[in-house]
Amino acid sequence: NAKFVVASPVDVKIGDIVSCIADDVDTDELIGAWNFYHNLRDESGYNFDGVDSSNNIVYTRDTAESSRFRGHPYIDFSASNPTITITPSTSENNSTIINFDSDSAIVLWCRVPSLNNGESKIIFDRSDSGNGLKIGVQNSGGTYYAFVQVKGSGGSWATSSLNANVETSSGKDIMIGVEKFSSNQYRVSVNASYWNYAVYAGDIEDSSPPPIRLGLSSAGSNRFDGRLYSLRMYTKTLSSTDYTTMFKRKQPFSTMKFAGKVTKVDDGNSAT
């Protein structure tokens, strides 16, 4: 059992579902939290649960003693080619929450796969033929980099610079942070370090935004074949302290949702 004190003027009635989101980073504007703990459940409270339409997703548990992920599952994209989508819906009352034209931040933990020179892999994609946003890793000239690509309605795809700021390597576990920096820029970092920028024109959002796809592009190409440990989305930009806290966690995905049905209400200062 749990006792919640809910501030007025919020009404709480018997039969309601009340959720507590626990984390060491402020959750006020957390809109998506996926731990991939043998499921695609969203722990943020907004019910952006993922779906694997290919029904062949593979979860693997990390057993390496040297790994900070030891004992925790992850999605193993090298073991299968799942088609994972995250789709807002009116039935879940979350259809207008994701808006990449407003303040936004995306944080994900992954393991970089082996790539051929010139090859790119897409980890996160919310785009269509007109506009959108993509996050991935690339081998350019034998060096590996993380990148963000953005396309607004008024231009073409813009890709963040590939340089030492976002350098990584094959087989490395990294935290990629992506956030809206200004009215026409998104930026990307690796392991809470330096930022690189993608400058675009026009609006990212349209009247019928596509779902989020994990591990492949909206066209079904550039399949990611590494590991995906966790994913977070916010309707705000994060502070440098937030990114450092996330990066230094012993377990990088500590967000958890605890929820239950209200069976008794003791009236205080609120209406119900």
Side-chain angles (χ1 to χ4, degrees):
N1 295 324
K3 179 178 180 179
F4 291 87
V5 178
V6 183
S8 176
V10 176
D11 285 343
V12 179
K13 302 177 293 298
I14 292 175
D16 285 350
I17 299 297
V18 175
S19 300
C20 172
I21 313 301
D23 202 350
D24 54 359
V25 172
D26 184 10
T27 62
D28 283 349
E29 296 184 70
L30 175 72
I31 61 168
W34 297 268
N35 295 327
F36 306 125
Y37 204 92
H38 294 292
N39 59 59
L40 299 175
R41 183 182 302 122
D42 169 24
E43 301 283 357
S44 76
Y46 283 94
N47 298 326
F48 285 114
D49 293 346
V51 174
D52 174 23
S53 58
S54 59
N55 293 316
N56 64 349
I57 194 169
V58 173
Y59 297 99
T60 305
R61 185 180 297 273
D62 197 324
T63 59
E65 291 188 12
S66 60
S67 174
R68 66 193 301 180
F69 297 92
R70 185 186 182 193
H72 286 262
Y74 56 85
I75 297 178
D76 186 359
F77 286 93
S78 65
S80 65
N81 293 315
T83 303
I84 300 170
T85 55
I86 298 168
T87 307
S89 67
T90 54
S91 62
E92 294 289 354
N93 197 29
N94 59 21
S95 59
T96 61
I97 293 174
I98 301 173
N99 184 355
F100 289 152
D101 286 322
S102 299
D103 286 349
S104 304
I106 304 164
V107 182
L108 62 87
W109 276 94
C110 69
R111 174 167 291 185
V112 180
S114 177
L115 304 172
N116 296 322
N117 186 21
E119 189 176 20
S120 297
K121 299 290 187 179
I122 298 298
I123 307 168
F124 178 105
D125 185 316
R126 186 170 183 255
S127 69
D128 53 26
S129 59
N131 36 17
L133 181 147
K134 303 177 183 181
I135 303 170
V137 289
Q138 180 176 342
N139 179 343
S140 179
T143 304
Y144 287 62
Y145 306 95
F147 66 86
V148 58
Q149 289 184 320
V150 189
K151 183 180 181 182
S153 56
S156 55
W157 283 104
T159 305
S160 56
S161 301
L162 304 178
N163 60 30
N165 285 358
V166 290
E167 188 173 325
T168 181
S169 59
S170 174
K172 191 172 184 179
D173 293 330
I174 60 172
M175 186 186 85
I176 300 177
V178 168
E179 68 176 30
K180 188 174 177 63
F181 179 66
S182 67
S183 60
N184 66 339
Q185 292 187 66
Y186 263 84
R187 62 182 187 175
V188 58
S189 70
V190 172
N191 296 343
S193 188
Y194 303 104
W195 294 96
N196 281 358
Y197 301 82
V199 181
Y200 65 98
D203 295 332
I204 296 175
E205 301 294 332
D206 55 31
S207 58
S208 300
I212 293 170
R213 294 173 175 83
L214 302 181
L216 74 165
S217 71
S218 58
S221 58
N222 299 92
R223 282 189 172 273
F224 178 71
D225 53 1
R227 300 179 179 182
L228 183 57
Y229 294 103
S230 71
L231 172 64
R232 299 287 180 272
M233 290 177 53
Y234 299 83
T235 54
K236 65 177 179 180
T237 55
L238 301 176
S239 68
S240 58
T241 301
D242 290 335
Y243 286 110
T244 301
T245 298
M246 291 180 176
F247 179 63
K248 289 184 176 180
R249 287 171 175 166
K250 183 175 182 180
Q251 298 296 343
F253 35 88
S254 61
T255 314
M256 292 298 293
K257 176 177 67 177
F258 303 92
K261 183 177 290 186
V262 176
T263 59
K264 181 180 178 182
V265 176
D266 295 323
D267 290 348
N269 296 322
S270 57
T272 303

